[in-house]
Amino acid sequence: MESVYYYNRSLSTFSLDSLSKISITSKPLLTHFRRIGFARIIPSPNNICSSTSEMSSNSSVNNKETKLWGGRFEESVTDAVEKFSESISYDKALYKQDILGSKAHATMLAKQGLMTESDRDIILQGLDEILKSIEAGKFVWRTDREDVHMNIEAALTDIIGEPAKKLHTARSRNDQVVTDLRLWCRDAVDKIVTRIRSLQVALVNLAKKNEGLIVPGYTHMQRAQPILLPHLILSYVEQLERDAGRLTDCRGRLNFCPLGACALAGTGLPIDRFMTSDALGFTAPMRNSIDAVSDRDFVLEILSANSIAAVHLSRLGEEWVLWASEEFGFLTPSDAVSTGSSIMPQKKNPDPMELVRGKSARVVGDLVTLLVLCKGLPQAYNRDLQEDKEPLFDSVKTLLGMLEVSAEFAQNVTFNQERIQKALPSGFLDATTLADYLVNKGVPFRTAHDIVGRSVALCVSVNKQLQDLTLPELRSINPVFEEDVYTFLGVQNSVKKFCSYGSTVQSRCPINLVSGFPSLTSIDIEINDFFPDE
């Protein structure tokens, strides 16, 4: 490894402070440095981009770097404007996608004769060096370079000189940023869908562990009919499947390439947009250059799908928080997913699912933020669109966390069968099944409804359940009742009588949803892979 001291071309005057030091491992880059001439080259153990750190802490404080777009400007923006305008504090999350897009673009430019193959190779190697530096945590992001694109391009210029200035040929930050964003969103969808599958696996396993367990089913938060617990759990699996489907559909629509649309009108240079589209794994280039830089529908779709998924998780959280209460007592979370009170020593709170319920508000808020952001914009790129990233990043990160902790919770809960069994007899859960009995006897349903209603009223007056009424008591209401009525009464008999497709006894664990995911340990998604500074 060698350390290269060189003149920083971005500074207008030469001084000792304008000499930067950078360690290079690439032999072609070193050859290039020697060819164009540097102050000196010496062996050094230092790592790449120590130069950026030194520059950031020294010369750039007193000498503002000339912007790459600053040719027609005679003075720099004020510190307040620079601070207000920067996006590097959050859009550096796009660094992988930015470098990937730049490499595809450089390769295409060389093929089209818009740069030499030698310059292409030097650019690709320089981008690789920057990528290694970023992933090693040694790259210093500079706010005076505004955003991820300018940071990387300026660093590349610092490293390789003139060839870097050819990289932005037939490209604007307008099409560059939306290309980065589409690539990022494509990865985000894949990660979210994988997390959804993890939760589905956890729920299916929980349903299997509680096969045959009958619980009260509720409508209007009032006891309604007896259901099997797996049937209830699997209803959330179905919701999650639709969530995955929405995101997958969105992925198909977002997978079109804006690169080459430039600022808004395209370019007069002979680029090959199909080549860059293919290289980046897109379906095709976008057909309209104005739409390519304007469109944020794909972000809105993701935020919308995320919001629906977050609401589903919030509903799951609400149900489990209720069921864990003393009033219900149907569910007990393990200590591993519970918290206590700082003042009440007896408390055991299902906090993770309360936070899942609460964090859904953030995800919905992120969607509203972008809807309001986009509603008044004219076509083509507007700087307002810089504000699309923070709600997007927050939505994805929050939902990934919600899915992860929901799966953890599902693996660490126990349903209290004894408490549930004691709760089942009350509430006349078999009333609708009794009405079905009368319909089978030829009684019109509305008449059957009235007969059962009067039967319930009799139970209330004599403090009995329907199954405890004698046949004479039932016949006093209507003579249609016969001895076989008792095969319909009681929650056990009631559940057995359901026979329609998709009903509580017809529900099956959707094994096809979890094929390829034999255990939760086979799925390992790290949020830090997506948000490297966290």
Side-chain angles (χ1 to χ4, degrees), residues 388-415:
D388 61 358
K389 295 166 198 64
E390 287 183 289
L392 171 64
F393 295 165
D394 182 70
S395 175
V396 170
K397 181 180 178 181
T398 302
L399 184 61
L400 285 171
M402 292 170 68
L403 288 163
E404 180 182 36
V405 81
S406 296
E408 287 278 332
F409 202 87
Q411 296 172 80
N412 287 277
V413 296
T414 303
F415 288 93

Side-chain angles (χ1 to χ4, degrees), residues 238-523:
E238 296 290 345
Q239 288 183 332
L240 290 165
E241 186 64 13
R242 291 194 295 275
D243 293 330
R246 271 183 285 272
L247 286 161
T248 302
D249 290 346
C250 174
R251 190 189 192 283
R253 275 186 292 276
L254 73 83
N255 199 37
F256 289 83
C257 187
L259 196 58
C262 298
L264 82 162
T267 179
L269 296 170
I271 62 172
D272 185 346
R273 294 189 62 211
F274 286 90
M275 179 180 174
T276 49
S277 174
D278 289 344
L280 295 171
F282 286 111
T283 302
M286 294 186 73
R287 294 177 298 191
N288 184 292
S289 61
I290 297 174
D291 180 53
V293 297
S294 302
D295 175 47
R296 291 302 184 274
D297 290 357
F298 66 99
V299 183
L300 286 168
E301 276 198 74
I302 290 176
L303 296 185
S304 177
N306 285 359
S307 296
I308 296 171
V311 168
H312 289 157
L313 297 177
S314 181
R315 294 178 66 180
L316 175 65
E318 168 69 4
E319 189 150 71
W320 283 1
V321 167
L322 282 174
W323 281 25
S325 68
E326 190 65 34
E327 284 69 24
F328 278 82
F330 291 173
L331 176 153
T332 301
S334 74
D335 291 352
V337 291
S338 303
T339 62
S341 166
S342 63
I343 188 173
M344 295 169 285
Q346 83 281 11
K347 292 295 293 299
K348 184 176 181 179
N349 302 322
D351 275 12
M353 297 312 292
E354 293 178 55
L355 283 170
V356 164
R357 190 177 58 191
K359 285 181 181 289
S360 65
R362 287 180 59 160
V363 180
V364 173
D366 291 329
L367 169 61
V368 174
T369 296
L370 198 67
L371 284 168
V372 176
L373 174 71
C374 292
K375 74 173 184 62
L377 295 182
Q379 282 291 63
Y381 183 81
N382 298 273
R383 190 64 180 269
D384 313 50
L385 291 175
Q386 177 174 300
E387 295 299 304
D388 61 358
K389 295 166 198 64
E390 287 183 289
L392 171 64
F393 295 165
D394 182 70
S395 175
V396 170
K397 181 180 178 181
T398 302
L399 184 61
L400 285 171
M402 292 170 68
L403 288 163
E404 180 182 36
V405 81
S406 296
E408 287 278 332
F409 202 87
Q411 296 172 80
N412 287 277
V413 296
T414 303
F415 288 93
N416 306 322
Q417 297 195 25
E418 185 177 349
R419 179 73 174 266
I420 292 169
Q421 289 296 328
K422 289 180 179 178
L424 281 174
S426 62
F428 308 105
L429 297 174
D430 49 356
T432 306
T433 308
L434 183 58
D436 291 343
Y437 166 82
L438 294 171
V439 169
N440 284 329
K441 293 290 185 179
V443 179
F445 178 78
R446 284 300 173 197
T447 303
H449 189 284
D450 178 70
I451 293 170
V452 174
R454 287 188 284 126
S455 300
V456 169
L458 175 60
C459 287
V460 172
S461 68
V462 297
N463 194 26
K464 288 183 177 181
Q465 294 296 314
L466 286 170
Q467 63 184 343
D468 299 325
L469 292 176
T470 65
L471 188 58
E473 285 174 321
L474 288 169
R475 283 178 174 275
S476 70
I477 298 170
N478 193 292
V480 72
F481 288 110
E482 298 178 7
E483 191 66 38
D484 61 347
V485 70
Y486 294 103
T487 64
F488 282 75
L489 295 176
V491 293
Q492 297 287 346
N493 289 329
S494 179
V495 164
K496 292 176 183 177
K497 295 300 180 181
F498 290 99
C499 60
S500 61
Y501 177 79
S503 64
T504 191
V505 295
Q506 290 295 315
S507 183
R508 296 289 183 269
C509 290
I511 302 301
N512 61 303
L513 297 182
V514 296
S515 59
F517 296 93
S519 69
L520 288 169
T521 56
S522 68
I523 300 173

